[in-house]
Amino acid sequence: MDLILRNARLIGAEQEPTDIGIAGGKIVAIEAQLAAEGETIDLGGRLVSSGLIETHIHLDKSCILDRVKAEKGDLEEAIAEVARVKREFTPDDVYARAKKTLEKSILNGTTHMRTQLEVDPGIGLRGLEGVRRLVDEYKWAIDIEICIFPQEGLLNNPGTDELMIEALKNGGSVVGAAPYTDSSPHGQIDRIFEIAREFDIDIDMHLDFAPTAENLDLLYVCEQTEKYRYGGRVAIGHVTKLSGAPPEVFDRAAKRMASAGVALTVLPSTDLYLMGRHQDHSVMRGVAPSHKALHHGVNCSLSTNNVLNPFTPFGDCSLVRMANLYANICQVGAKGDIRECFHMISSRSARLMNLKNYGLTPGCFADIVVLDAASAEEAVAELAPVLYVFKRGRKTVSRARPQMHRPH
């Protein structure tokens, strides 16, 4: 064996510690008291999961708080401020800022990432040029796929369509959308499905980013998903409208998404920060209850979205923290739902991204995170720190447990 992890508590089977044998970058054996030789790490009963997954994060516009205003704190200001400063972005600037954010993600146990990247005549392909360099440079620690989307609109923004096509031919592998910024939201959705079919790629849209549940674009997305048989290949992010939906509206929308095969990504930090700005008392949380959507069969993920910019002036790229934040905001208390908060940063995210060979079974890639916890519920509730990360069986991160030093 290249590596043996002993006394591991596998997520989903935490009761009895076991051993994990790794060779050739893959898990080759999982059994108690594994009879094998090789480099050995005793995990002492710590929780082991497949690597954590960012399904929706903006590397290209992270770490720009020193260049923007965040005074109103609403969506319109955030879009306008980024549009203003990104005209001065250079590939080297994007690379340097994105690198800082990416390394934070790696240190917090992320082994796979889908980064959202905007193109338009204001930024051109400079953001792509900066982020694309990181894909190869950090493949020893993380798999990165780039989702190309039009933050400032598509049909209303001449030149954006051509730039998106060029970006998808030069490093982009998923196509995204932001219909709420377009002169024709449904027209943008139609065009995105057309592009996806042309390139045979998945779709990941920013959608229904508003405080009330009127005019849900997600219903139209579900129609198009079924029309083009794209179930399992479409994700929608934010969908804050569902946070303000009456139960019967929420249930109907969730069932529709489940039947169409449309997944949901909730971005707790950004949605909590931006929503409710129109209210001066009894301010809404604005975070869609994804754990309730799960009960209707919708696949869901939780992700970071923005870091240190006017969309979200906070963030350390800890997905465990994001799961904990979500559980607090949405008042998650049931044990099974707390466990699902962990699945929404790991196995459910893998399903959303259609990852192959992900999991804790022999034959899967040895992309593994070890947390200082004994169960998934404990990891979420207590913000368990990451102790080790392995990518294809190679140790990429290690962190010592804190120790108290009592006086003699």
Side-chain angles (χ1 to χ4, degrees):
M1 300 282 181
D2 297 329
L3 177 66
I4 304 161
L5 302 178
R6 297 200 181 275
N7 296 310
R9 292 186 186 274
L10 272 60
I11 189 163
E14 291 99 326
Q15 291 77 14
E16 297 295 331
T18 190
D19 299 338
I20 305 171
I22 297 168
K26 292 187 175 182
I27 297 170
V28 295
I30 297 178
E31 58 186 78
Q33 299 179 332
L34 179 63
E37 294 183 356
E39 180 185 355
T40 299
I41 300 176
D42 191 333
L43 301 182
R46 302 306 186 284
L47 181 69
V48 171
S49 168
S50 294
L52 306 184
I53 301 173
E54 283 279 13
T55 57
H56 188 126
I57 188 170
H58 296 260
L59 292 178
D60 56 336
K61 57 188 180 188
S62 65
C63 305
I64 56 171
L65 278 181
D66 58 336
R67 311 178 195 184
V68 299
K69 295 185 299 183
E71 296 171 359
K72 295 179 182 178
D74 58 19
L75 178 62
E76 291 73 23
E77 179 188 57
I79 292 175
E81 281 296 291
V82 173
R84 179 179 62 83
V85 301
K86 74 182 179 184
R87 295 177 182 277
E88 306 302 321
F89 288 178
T90 66
D92 286 345
D93 167 52
V94 172
Y95 167 82
R97 290 183 289 99
K99 181 176 181 177
K100 288 171 58 177
T101 304
L102 182 62
E103 289 186 350
K104 288 179 183 178
S105 296
I106 292 168
L107 288 169
N108 279 299
T110 301
T111 61
H112 297 78
M113 173 182 288
R114 174 179 289 175
T115 184
Q116 304 278 337
L117 191 141
E118 55 194 75
V119 298
D120 55 57
I123 181 67
L125 299 181
R126 297 191 300 278
L128 176 63
E129 292 170 24
V131 170
R132 190 173 54 193
R133 289 163 56 185
L134 299 167
V135 176
D136 285 333
E137 184 176 341
Y138 282 87
K139 64 183 179 181
W140 56 271
I142 190 167
D143 292 324
I144 304 171
E145 62 180 41
I146 301 173
C147 177
I148 305 299
F149 85 106
Q151 175 69 82
E152 298 177 33
L154 180 59
L155 304 183
N156 61 308
N157 203 358
T160 301
D161 194 301
E162 293 82 355
L163 285 167
M164 288 185 63
I165 297 300
E166 188 175 352
L168 289 169
K169 291 178 178 178
N170 289 279
S173 56
V174 181
V175 65
Y180 50 82
T181 65
D182 211 305
S183 55
S184 173
H186 285 194
Q188 184 182 127
I189 292 168
D190 289 342
R191 177 58 181 146
I192 295 308
F193 270 92
E194 184 179 353
I195 293 172
R197 300 196 318 276
E198 178 184 344
F199 283 86
D200 190 21
I201 53 178
D202 291 354
I203 296 170
D204 196 333
M205 299 185 177
H206 300 67
L207 206 71
D208 287 330
F209 207 164
T212 58
E214 289 89 8
N215 302 314
L216 288 169
D217 285 333
L218 72 85
L219 299 176
Y220 186 70
V221 170
C222 289
E223 287 180 19
Q224 300 306 97
T225 300
E226 290 183 334
K227 177 180 179 180
Y228 296 113
R229 299 182 179 179
Y230 239 65
R233 302 189 67 180
V234 178
I236 56 177
H238 294 293
V239 198
T240 57
K241 285 184 177 183
L242 288 183
S243 72
E248 63 275 11
V249 175
F250 179 90
D251 292 348
R252 188 162 58 249
K255 290 175 182 177
R256 188 73 183 89
M257 291 170 62
S259 66
V262 173
L264 170 65
T265 296
V266 170
L267 297 313
S269 186
T270 298
D271 297 344
L272 181 65
Y273 178 75
L274 291 176
M275 288 295 106
R277 296 288 180 170
H278 63 295
Q279 298 171 299
D280 60 12
H281 66 283
S282 297
V283 178
M284 66 186 296
R285 295 183 177 96
V287 177
S290 56
H291 69 289
K292 294 181 179 180
L294 291 176
H295 298 168
H296 290 293
V298 182
N299 186 39
C300 299
S301 74
L302 302 171
S303 202
T304 295
N305 195 44
N306 280 289
V307 179
L308 303 176
N309 70 19
F311 291 88
T312 320
F314 317 107
D316 63 356
C317 303
S318 167
L319 282 169
V320 174
R321 188 183 307 282
M322 208 54 59
N324 175 278
L325 177 62
Y326 171 83
N328 276 277
I329 297 167
C330 290
Q331 301 173 318
V332 179
K335 184 177 180 180
D337 287 339
I338 295 174
R339 176 170 286 263
E340 285 291 1
C341 288
F342 193 91
H343 291 321
M344 284 191 281
I345 60 171
S346 54
S347 57
R348 287 191 171 277
S349 296
R351 179 179 159 195
L352 183 150
M353 290 177 58
N354 292 308
L355 297 183
K356 308 299 182 186
N357 298 314
Y358 175 95
L360 291 177
T361 55
C364 289
F365 290 127
D367 296 340
I368 291 170
V369 61
V370 180
L371 299 111
D372 193 10
S375 68
E377 296 87 350
E378 182 182 316
V380 172
E382 300 185 20
L383 290 168
V386 169
L387 300 180
Y388 294 99
V389 186
F390 302 88
K391 185 66 175 174
R392 301 295 195 270
R394 179 185 177 277
K395 183 167 63 178
T396 56
V397 175
S398 63
R399 182 180 284 111
R401 297 185 73 208
Q403 294 183 353
M404 291 188 292
H405 298 279
R406 298 183 183 277
H408 295 296

